[in-house]
Amino acid sequence: MKKKIAFICVHNSCRSQMAEAFGKAYLSEKYDCYSAGTETKPEINGDAVRIMKEHFGIDMKNQYSKLISDIPAPDIVITMGCNVHCPNIPCKERTDWGLDDPTGKSDEEFIKTAQAIREKIMELFGGL
């Protein structure tokens, strides 16, 4: 049985969505990857969707914002750095990546954030 990774953020519209997309693209043989938020947005960040497609070849158009209660119980919880404390999510491992939200910023900031997420996934879960 594969371990479950949950990428958690406040609105589940940008950083955690990019992390879920990278996780599904790179880790799906060993892990089931999900993202969720303590709140949701009507749709995920369009700039994040565009940057992931244009710069990383990953299509996020079918992803959507979810609450923590909408995903299966994770083995590993990774918060994105938005001071989210999720005591109601039991897990075996928990870490925070301390990433700033690029929402409303330049494409370069989105690319930088996406690259940081990709690097952290590689560091934690092995080379891609």
Side-chain angles (χ1 to χ4, degrees):
M1 179 185 283
K2 294 192 243 181
K3 285 188 176 183
K4 294 174 183 64
I5 303 170
F7 299 100
I8 306 298
C9 204
V10 174
H11 296 116
N12 187 226
S13 65
C14 188
R15 292 165 291 174
S16 55
Q17 289 286 346
M18 290 190 288
E20 176 184 357
F22 278 125
K24 286 180 175 178
Y26 300 138
L27 305 174
S28 63
E29 288 185 24
K30 294 183 180 179
Y31 300 93
D32 288 326
C33 296
Y34 305 91
S35 68
T38 55
E39 303 171 19
T40 60
K41 289 278 189 180
E43 59 186 36
I44 64 174
N45 187 300
D47 289 326
V49 173
R50 180 176 51 80
I51 293 295
M52 290 293 287
K53 182 70 170 172
E54 290 175 2
H55 293 271
F56 301 95
I58 297 174
D59 190 350
M60 292 175 39
K61 70 178 178 186
N62 292 325
Q63 289 183 210
Y64 58 95
S65 187
K66 302 167 288 301
L67 289 171
I68 294 166
S69 59
D70 295 334
I71 63 171
D75 299 294
I76 302 165
V77 169
I78 299 172
T79 53
M80 296 290 108
C82 36
N83 298 320
V84 175
H85 299 286
C86 306
N88 60 333
I89 303 178
C91 60
K92 295 175 183 163
E93 299 174 44
R94 182 186 309 260
T95 190
D96 182 79
W97 284 354
L99 299 170
D100 290 330
D101 187 354
T103 298
K105 298 180 182 171
S106 68
D107 282 4
E108 290 75 23
E109 287 299 314
F110 274 89
I111 294 165
K112 184 174 134 183
T113 300
Q115 287 172 331
I117 292 168
R118 186 177 181 274
E119 288 169 12
K120 288 179 178 296
I121 285 174
M122 289 176 10
E123 287 171 15
L124 275 180
F125 303 105
L128 306 176

